[in-house]
């Protein structure tokens, strides 16, 4: 099973946009962002669409078209980014009901719901304390 990289790509996109915005306020294109991420611009446009839907970036059409941050990098937490790009729970239970006649099958779901819920709560609390600005500062400053 491979890991999902949507969060990593979204953080990269926002950090790059924040870095560029330090020097100029012009919108940036998905092609330019894609060059930094080293991926296809379509991947970047999909990511930007999710970020826009959650109020983290804005698009501009027409002359000087592109994307800008909708909020300051110091106001965007990694939890904001996570909520924008990730869907559903981090951990899934069985897709079908385990065997209720089995002692493991009968009891595993409630136990794992509790464990997974605790993990997700901890992750969300941790992500809420880290901003795009902080990650950018650790990366390039």
């Amino acid at each position: 099973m491979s890991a999902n990289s949507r969060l990593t790509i979204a953080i990269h996109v926002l950090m790059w946009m924040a870095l560029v915005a330090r020097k100029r306020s012009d919108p940036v294109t998905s092609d330019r962002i894609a060059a930094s991420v080293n991926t296809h611009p379509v991947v970047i446009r999909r990511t930007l669409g999710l970020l826009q839907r959650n109020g983290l970036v804005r698009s501009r059409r027409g002359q000087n078209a592109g994307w800008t941050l909708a909020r300051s990098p110091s106001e965007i937490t990694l939890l904001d980014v996570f909520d924008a790009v990730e869907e559903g729970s981090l951990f899934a239970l069985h897709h079908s009901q385990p065997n209720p006649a089995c002692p493991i099958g009968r009891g595993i779901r409630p136990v794992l719901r509790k464990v997974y819920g605790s993990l997700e709560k901890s992750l969300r609390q941790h992500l809420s304390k880290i901003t795009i600005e902080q990650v950018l500062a650790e990366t390039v400053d």
Side-chain angles (χ1 to χ4, degrees):
M1 192 179 325
S2 65
N4 178 335
S5 62
R6 281 189 302 252
L7 180 61
T8 300
I9 290 171
I11 292 169
H12 187 139
V13 166
L14 293 169
M15 287 173 52
W16 190 85
M17 291 175 72
L19 183 64
V20 169
R22 287 179 176 179
K23 296 180 182 167
R24 50 183 253 236
S25 62
D26 295 345
V28 294
T29 65
S30 56
D31 289 338
R32 288 188 59 210
I33 299 168
S36 175
V37 178
N38 197 24
T39 193
H40 198 280
V42 169
V43 173
I44 300 304
R45 284 191 285 277
R46 282 189 204 123
T47 302
L48 287 165
L50 294 171
L51 297 172
Q52 181 180 32
R53 197 172 312 138
N54 285 269
L56 303 178
V57 298
R58 286 189 212 105
S59 66
R60 182 171 170 181
R61 298 184 186 269
Q63 188 174 2
N64 202 22
W67 298 87
T68 58
L69 294 175
R71 299 186 345 219
S72 164
S74 63
E75 296 172 346
I76 301 172
T77 69
L78 297 191
L79 180 59
D80 296 327
V81 183
F82 178 84
D83 286 341
V85 300
E86 296 299 335
E87 300 170 350
S89 297
L90 289 174
F91 306 101
L93 296 174
H94 307 83
H95 293 290
S96 59
Q97 178 70 31
N99 182 351
C102 170
I104 302 299
R106 182 172 50 250
I108 191 169
R109 285 180 152 200
V111 172
L112 289 183
R113 273 190 198 101
K114 184 177 172 182
V115 170
Y116 294 164
S118 176
L119 287 170
E120 191 160 341
K121 181 179 178 184
S122 294
L123 174 69
R124 294 179 69 76
Q125 287 174 341
H126 187 71
L127 291 176
S128 73
K129 296 175 185 171
I130 304 167
T131 66
I132 291 295
E133 185 65 35
Q134 290 169 318
V135 177
L136 179 59
E138 287 186 40
T139 302
V140 297
D141 290 345

